[in-house]
């Protein structure tokens, strides 16, 4: 059996994305021993390191055939549905056009044939998780739509596991998402608040839609410690989709230093995103470094398990990153989510439902930000030990739901 995996971080330089992929691969190998697993990636070396036993599939080919204007130039950029329809209805013709246009620019187009063949030769296509079906990442919606609609054209079953959906308000993206999710054999959601609501609005219901929690919960839960830690975990995400700005970091700096001093503890840097200039280590360093003591923001962390281990040292975690929260909650550690964007409000609302009593959400534009953060940290600090068992129970339940969902994939593949 040949299984092709879509995933949410092709460069494999985001520790949350890597963790989701690792768990997906482990579950597939356990349920379908002997299956050939191919993974779309732009970094074959990192794939070999993080997911041994898998084969890289070049994602560049998808980029060639989903780039606006790839078939019809300016007309295609104005009417993207024309290009998409041509690719799906007349695949051979469309690929020949892309080959010709690419060669005219003196660039190689061999990856396009590899992309098409990877889908055509597979027995099952799976998205291994991520939060990319959202207005914040329209190019990713376009790309995944292409992959799954080609799978449908070639008669291949497909499923999405540990998937985050939303916010998804744009008409074009909702139309594309409805088009391929309607034919998915199984949709495993990583939360049951925004995602399930959007699917209902799109007319997608039934027993093929299940809420399992995030795949990475299994990685965190498997390493939980018997006692709570004594550090204050910290993460901040400076990115367009988080809407957190440098001035927000400056405002937080003094507040957090006062909190650490009052608690008599120390910061534990928890970087997740290493996939853009500077990434989380740079923003965390800006947040917690002082004139007397410079922090590298956790730059040395390169493995998901290393991050999980570092999270286990914490008594509570303050985070602007979703997966820093996942790794904490799955180890029984309460979190405080820092939000500015609807995208992160969706993420933390989903975690709040799956881990009742474990999540406090604080908006960075709160006029009483200092008071809100202090109250949340003091509450978590005082009650961390007594809440631990319940949070671990919620994590165990999600691990079981996720394992059961992956067991259903075997029947889907026929």
């Amino acid at each position: 059996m040949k299984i092709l995996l879509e995933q949410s971080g092709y460069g494999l330089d985001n520790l949350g994305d890597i963790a989701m992929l690792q768990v997906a691969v482990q579950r597939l190998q356990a349920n379908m021993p002997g299956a050939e697993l191919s993974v779309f990636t732009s970094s074959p070396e990192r794939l070999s390191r993080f997911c041994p036993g898998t084969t890289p599939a070049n994602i560049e080919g998808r980029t060639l055939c989903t780039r606006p204007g790839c078939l019809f130039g300016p007309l295609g950029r104005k009417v993207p549905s024309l290009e998409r329809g041509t690719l799906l209805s007349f695949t051979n013709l469309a690929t020949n056009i892309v080959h010709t246009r690419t060669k005219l620019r003196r660039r190689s187009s061999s990856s396009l044939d590899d992309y098409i063949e990877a889908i055509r030769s597979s027995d099952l296509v799976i998205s291994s998780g991520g939060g990319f079906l959202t207005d914040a990442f329209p190019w990713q919606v376009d790309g995944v739509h292409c992959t799954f609609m080609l799978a449908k054209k070639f008669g291949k079953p497909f499923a999405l596991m540990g998937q985050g959906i939303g916010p998804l308000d744009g008409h074009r993206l909702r139309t594309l998402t409805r088009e391929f999710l309607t034919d998915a054999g199984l949709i495993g959601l990583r939360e049951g608040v925004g995602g399930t609501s959007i699917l209902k609005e799109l007319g997608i219901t039934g027993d093929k839609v299940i809420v399992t929690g995030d795949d990475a919960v299994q990685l965190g839960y498997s390493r939980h410690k018997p006692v709570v830690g004594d550090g204050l975990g910290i993460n901040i995400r400076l990115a367009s989709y988080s809407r957190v700005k440098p001035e927000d970091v400056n405002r937080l700096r003094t507040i957090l230093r006062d909190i650490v001093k009052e608690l008599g503890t120390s910061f534990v840097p928890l970087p997740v995103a290493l996939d853009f200039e500077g990434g989380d280590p740079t923003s965390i360093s800006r947040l917690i470094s002082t004139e007397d003591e410079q922090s590298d923001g956790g730059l040395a962390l390169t493995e998901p398990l290393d991050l999980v281990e570092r999270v286990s040292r914490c008594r509570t975690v303050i985070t602007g990153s979703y997966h820093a929260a996942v790794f904490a909650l799955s180890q029984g550690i309460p979190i405080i989510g820092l939000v500015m964007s609807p995208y992160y409000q969706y993420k933390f609302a989903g975690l709040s439902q799956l881990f009742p009593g474990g999540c406090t959400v604080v908006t960075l534009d709160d006029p009483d930000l200092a008071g809100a953060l202090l109250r949340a940290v003091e509450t978590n600090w005082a009650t961390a030990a007594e809440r631990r068992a319940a949070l671990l129970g919620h994590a165990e339940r999600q691990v079981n739901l996720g394992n059961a969902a992956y067991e259903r994939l075997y029947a889907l593949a026929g």
Side-chain angles (χ1 to χ4, degrees):
M1 179 182 293
K2 294 183 177 181
I3 302 175
L4 178 64
L5 274 74
E6 266 284 5
Q7 48 121 352
S8 57
Y10 302 118
L12 294 173
D13 42 19
N14 178 293
L15 299 181
D17 293 338
I18 295 168
M20 289 187 292
L21 178 60
Q22 287 178 321
V23 173
V25 167
Q26 291 165 8
R27 285 171 165 169
L28 289 168
Q29 289 173 335
N31 284 290
M32 303 179 196
E36 299 178 32
L37 303 182
S38 298
V39 182
F40 280 128
T41 182
S42 59
S43 182
E45 300 82 6
R46 292 178 70 82
L47 179 68
S48 176
R49 169 185 164 191
F50 290 119
C51 299
T54 62
T55 302
N58 193 345
I59 194 61
E60 177 60 27
R62 193 190 74 181
T63 304
L64 288 176
C65 65
T66 57
R67 186 184 66 251
C70 65
L71 294 180
F72 306 125
L75 175 61
R77 286 189 286 272
K78 289 182 180 179
V79 191
S81 59
L82 175 62
E83 291 191 320
R84 192 164 51 248
T86 301
L87 175 65
L88 296 175
S89 298
F90 306 100
T91 304
N92 290 338
L93 171 63
T95 54
N96 287 336
I97 294 173
V98 173
H99 278 307
T100 300
R101 292 178 64 89
T102 304
K103 288 176 181 177
L104 288 174
R105 298 199 307 275
R106 297 183 179 181
R107 297 177 61 184
S108 172
S109 60
S110 60
S111 60
L112 176 58
D113 293 332
D114 294 340
Y115 169 68
I116 300 294
E117 182 57 26
I119 301 171
R120 193 195 308 269
S121 64
S122 66
D123 298 302
L124 176 65
V125 182
I126 300 170
S127 169
S128 69
F132 48 77
L133 298 181
T134 175
D135 298 314
F137 304 112
W139 62 90
Q140 187 71 311
V141 179
D142 284 324
V144 173
H145 172 271
C146 182
T147 296
F148 285 134
M149 292 305 290
L150 284 172
K152 176 185 175 182
K153 174 185 175 66
F154 298 145
K156 311 298 181 178
F158 59 92
L160 297 89
M161 310 301 288
Q163 185 68 51
I165 303 178
L168 194 64
D169 298 320
H171 175 72
R172 184 182 76 86
L173 296 183
R174 288 175 73 92
T175 299
L176 292 181
T177 302
R178 179 193 296 113
E179 190 172 7
F180 70 81
L181 287 185
T182 298
D183 293 299
L186 184 63
I187 304 172
L189 296 177
R190 69 183 189 187
E191 54 83 24
V193 181
T196 50
S197 297
I198 290 171
L199 289 183
K200 288 178 181 177
E201 292 168 3
L202 298 179
I204 301 169
T205 57
D207 61 3
K208 77 173 184 178
V209 179
I210 53 177
V211 177
T212 64
D214 192 282
D215 281 359
V217 168
Q218 176 165 304
L219 194 66
Y221 180 74
S222 69
R223 298 302 178 98
H224 73 268
K225 300 294 174 54
V227 295
V228 296
D230 57 8
L232 179 60
I234 190 71
N235 171 283
I236 190 74
R237 176 67 52 80
L238 277 172
S240 59
Y241 55 87
S242 72
R243 299 187 186 175
V244 177
K245 299 180 174 60
E247 51 265 36
D248 297 313
V249 175
N250 295 336
R251 187 181 178 200
L252 274 170
R253 187 181 297 114
T254 301
I255 296 171
L256 291 174
R257 286 177 186 169
D258 290 343
I259 289 174
V260 164
K261 184 181 296 185
E262 178 176 323
L263 295 174
T265 187
S266 57
F267 289 117
V268 180
L270 304 175
V272 176
L274 314 175
D275 53 346
F276 55 91
E277 186 66 29
D280 287 355
T282 297
S283 56
I284 294 171
S285 176
R286 290 177 187 172
L287 185 62
I288 66 176
S289 290
T290 66
E291 293 181 1
D292 299 325
E293 185 176 352
Q294 293 294 311
S295 169
D296 68 357
L299 186 62
L301 289 182
T302 59
E303 301 273 351
L305 281 176
D306 292 340
L307 177 57
V308 170
E309 173 63 28
R310 184 172 286 196
V311 169
S312 71
R313 306 176 197 170
C314 303
R315 191 175 184 92
T316 190
V317 168
I318 300 174
T319 177
S321 159
Y322 168 82
H323 272 105
V326 168
F327 290 143
L329 291 164
S330 60
Q331 296 185 75
I333 301 166
I335 69 100
I336 297 147
L338 303 175
V339 303
M340 279 292 283
S341 68
Y343 179 58
Y344 275 95
Q345 288 172 351
Y346 260 65
K347 286 189 168 190
F348 285 115
L351 285 176
S352 296
Q353 183 196 52
L354 289 171
F355 291 94
C359 304
T360 303
V361 178
V362 174
T363 56
L364 288 174
D365 57 359
D366 187 334
D368 184 29
L369 178 60
L373 263 179
L374 178 59
R375 288 189 295 272
V377 172
E378 287 181 335
T379 298
N380 283 1
W381 206 260
T383 62
E386 65 190 63
R387 283 194 273 177
R388 187 173 184 79
L391 294 177
L392 288 172
H394 296 312
E396 182 180 21
R397 177 176 179 273
Q398 291 168 58
V399 170
N400 292 335
L401 287 170
N403 286 330
Y406 273 80
E407 289 174 2
R408 290 176 59 177
L409 291 175
Y410 186 83
L412 183 63

